[in-house]
Amino acid sequence: MKKNLFICSSNFTILNSINTVINNSVFKNSESDLIIFHRTDDMKSLSSKIKKTNIFKNVFDFPFIEKKNIFFFIYTILFPKKFIRNNIFKNKSKELIKNKYDTIISQNMLYISIFRGLSKAKLFLIDEGLSSYTSRTINPKKRSVYFHIANKILFKNKLKHENISYLLYEPKISFSKNNQILELSKINYKNNLLFNNLFNYKINNLYKYNKFIYLGVPIYGLKDLMINLKNTPKNFEEKSKSLISKLFKSLKYNKLIYRPHPIENIEIDKNNDNFIIDNYKNMWEIECQNQIRNDHILISFFSTACFTPKLLFDKEPYVIIIYKILNFKFFNADKLLDRLKSIYSDPDKIIIIKDISELYKTIQKLESLSIIDNKNK
């Protein structure tokens, strides 16, 4: 029987890994283990719940790898078994080391470079959002110095992007040219209760009665999406915050739900009557599963979150993209948006805004449609 090793440190990729094991025929008739790097405190509880499901034969727990110096990184690559023995929780290192995996599925190249030394496995990167489709995750120019050194000295350039395969929900929109891509099945509604329980979903009606949603981002994180960081103006963050403020004032008849990013600092007046902050802190993917419909309006600079309903659940809410108002270019963003439109049954529901006046007109038009829809219900 074939053995697979999944390596994750985020709820999103853990969700995708579970979905891969239970819904994809390629992995159904094989044996899978899971490694979880505990990036946040809630990973302990999540790991415990996953173990009780028996979806994976083994679940191995590791502390999150903080960014350390190059010597630590090289040491980890050179001596993966020592790294495992010194860091794995509950002393299960022997069980992990002795397994010869046929496939290693990771959320990033860092984990692949660490565990690649355990066996001559086939390597996959699992869907981690839009960066997986733009080829940013394997683009040599986007890789760290640590990775390049490890690849050249330790792996003799065997970790080339051509040798990495992908597991993606929508292969047809990927920019990857020379990589094998396996299609992930959409998340099945029959698994709703399973995911609600695993990810500690708090029942609410917030999105049932409010259609307009702003998906927050850490402003500094937007810089990583830019083609050229050196050209970032000094007032970038101020312009971004000003745009968000104008967005909140654009609705006349509806309140906007402000869905903060997990690592975002909210720097606006929380007592503003124009919006409601989502304080339930449920995993966005699970909210998409339970509440997001085709008539919702998702507003974002440019993020995976606004396309999660389509990629994972084949739902088609309106999507309003506002990054172009700032006059900056994001890596492969324009081409990717064209491809995302191609998988929507109604491409006009993806709206790319170029200036403030267009934003106001679009919001006004969608508010009018919302009022008509509500009257017809």
Side-chain angles (χ1 to χ4, degrees):
M1 182 178 288
K2 287 188 175 181
K3 291 187 176 182
N4 314 304
L5 178 64
F6 291 81
I7 313 171
C8 307
S9 62
S10 72
N11 284 357
F12 181 59
T13 47
I14 291 173
L15 171 70
N16 292 340
S17 296
I18 295 171
N19 183 47
T20 301
V21 173
I22 63 178
N23 283 330
N24 283 73
S25 57
V26 176
F27 294 91
K28 270 188 176 180
N29 298 319
S30 58
E31 196 174 84
S32 297
D33 290 345
L34 173 66
I35 288 176
I36 299 178
F37 283 93
H38 289 221
R39 187 170 192 169
T40 56
D41 293 337
D42 62 346
M43 289 292 187
K44 183 177 180 181
S45 172
L46 177 57
S47 175
S48 178
K49 289 181 179 179
I50 293 173
K51 288 169 185 172
K52 292 176 183 177
T53 66
N54 294 319
I55 292 170
F56 299 93
K57 183 178 181 182
N58 297 292
V59 178
F60 303 106
D61 299 287
F62 282 82
F64 185 64
I65 301 176
E66 301 289 348
K67 289 184 178 178
K68 300 200 178 187
N69 61 49
I70 193 168
F71 300 106
F72 171 81
F73 184 79
I74 292 176
Y75 171 83
T76 301
I77 304 299
L78 275 174
F79 307 105
K81 292 180 181 180
K82 283 190 176 181
F83 168 79
I84 292 169
R85 290 191 190 100
N86 293 336
N87 289 278
I88 194 168
F89 297 155
K90 295 189 178 178
N91 195 28
K92 294 180 70 176
S93 59
K94 289 182 180 179
E95 205 165 349
L96 175 57
I97 292 170
K98 74 178 182 181
N99 284 333
K100 299 298 180 184
Y101 294 101
D102 300 286
T103 309
I104 294 177
I105 305 101
S106 172
Q107 74 175 61
N108 60 40
M109 292 297 292
L110 170 61
Y111 299 152
I112 281 180
S113 62
I114 291 173
F115 291 93
R116 177 70 178 85
L118 290 181
S119 60
K120 294 181 180 179
K122 186 167 186 178
L123 307 175
F124 280 89
L125 285 171
I126 196 167
D127 200 313
E128 201 187 14
L130 295 186
S131 61
S132 297
Y133 295 89
T134 61
S135 73
R136 184 170 173 267
T137 51
I138 57 173
N139 188 305
K141 294 179 181 179
K142 300 293 182 179
R143 300 272 56 81
S144 70
V145 174
Y146 294 178
F147 175 81
H148 285 295
I149 291 173
N151 188 26
K152 188 172 183 178
I153 298 175
L154 307 176
F155 293 108
K156 298 179 181 179
N157 287 321
K158 289 182 180 179
L159 290 181
K160 293 181 180 179
H161 65 87
E162 293 90 348
N163 298 330
I164 309 296
S165 300
Y166 271 111
L167 287 168
L168 300 176
Y169 285 104
E170 290 287 350
K172 65 183 76 172
I173 67 172
S174 171
F175 282 78
S176 177
K177 295 179 180 179
N178 301 315
N179 306 81
Q180 179 192 11
I181 302 176
L182 295 182
E183 184 173 357
L184 283 173
S185 300
K186 303 291 185 185
I187 293 179
N188 194 315
Y189 72 92
K190 293 179 181 179
N191 301 129
N192 283 13
L193 290 177
L194 169 67
F195 291 129
N196 283 348
N197 177 54
L198 287 178
F199 295 100
N200 197 29
Y201 182 74
K202 303 175 189 69
I203 296 173
N204 68 91
N205 291 316
L206 183 61
Y207 295 94
K208 182 178 180 180
Y209 300 111
N210 297 278
K211 293 182 180 179
F212 288 82
I213 306 159
Y214 167 66
L215 298 166
V217 293
I219 299 300
Y220 64 84
L222 290 174
K223 296 178 184 178
D224 292 335
L225 300 176
M226 291 183 183
I227 293 175
N228 192 341
L229 281 172
K230 295 179 181 178
N231 294 335
T232 306
K234 293 181 179 179
N235 66 341
F236 171 76
E237 292 195 15
E238 290 179 15
K239 288 182 70 174
S240 300
K241 291 173 185 176
S242 174
L243 175 55
I244 295 170
S245 178
K246 290 175 182 176
L247 168 65
F248 289 159
K249 297 174 182 176
S250 64
L251 278 79
K252 294 183 178 180
Y253 308 108
N254 294 269
K255 286 195 174 184
L256 185 72
I257 297 178
Y258 183 175
R259 163 83 191 190
H261 190 279
I263 59 172
E264 176 186 9
N265 291 322
I266 302 175
E267 299 179 10
I268 55 174
D269 181 8
K270 296 182 181 180
N271 296 316
N272 192 316
D273 290 334
N274 292 334
F275 64 88
I276 306 166
I277 295 178
D278 178 356
N279 287 317
Y280 289 100
K281 297 182 179 179
N282 284 321
M283 187 175 169
W284 171 242
E285 290 75 18
I286 310 303
E287 286 291 12
C288 291
Q289 167 190 278
N290 294 333
Q291 294 201 69
I292 299 304
R293 308 180 303 271
N294 290 344
D295 61 344
H296 275 99
I297 298 101
L298 310 184
I299 307 169
S300 168
F301 279 93
F302 180 70
S303 70
T304 297
C306 58
F307 293 105
T308 295
K310 178 61 179 176
L311 294 177
L312 274 65
F313 305 100
D314 207 24
K315 297 179 181 182
E316 298 188 359
Y318 290 90
V319 174
I320 299 177
I321 302 294
I322 61 175
Y323 79 90
K324 282 200 170 186
I325 298 176
L326 299 174
N327 293 318
F328 302 124
K329 291 185 177 181
F330 288 178
F331 183 72
N332 274 344
D334 292 348
K335 293 179 181 178
L336 182 59
L337 286 168
D338 286 339
R339 295 189 183 191
L340 286 162
K341 282 188 172 187
S342 73
I343 62 173
Y344 252 61
S345 57
D346 182 1
D348 291 337
K349 291 184 77 173
I350 299 178
I351 306 163
I352 297 121
I353 305 296
K354 296 178 181 177
D355 56 52
I356 289 293
S357 62
E358 185 182 4
L359 176 64
Y360 288 156
K361 289 178 183 177
T362 301
I363 294 293
Q364 185 178 11
K365 179 181 177 181
L366 290 173
E367 277 198 293
S368 299
L369 288 175
S370 179
I371 292 170
I372 293 172
D373 287 344
N374 289 336
K375 285 182 178 179
N376 292 334
K377 287 182 180 179

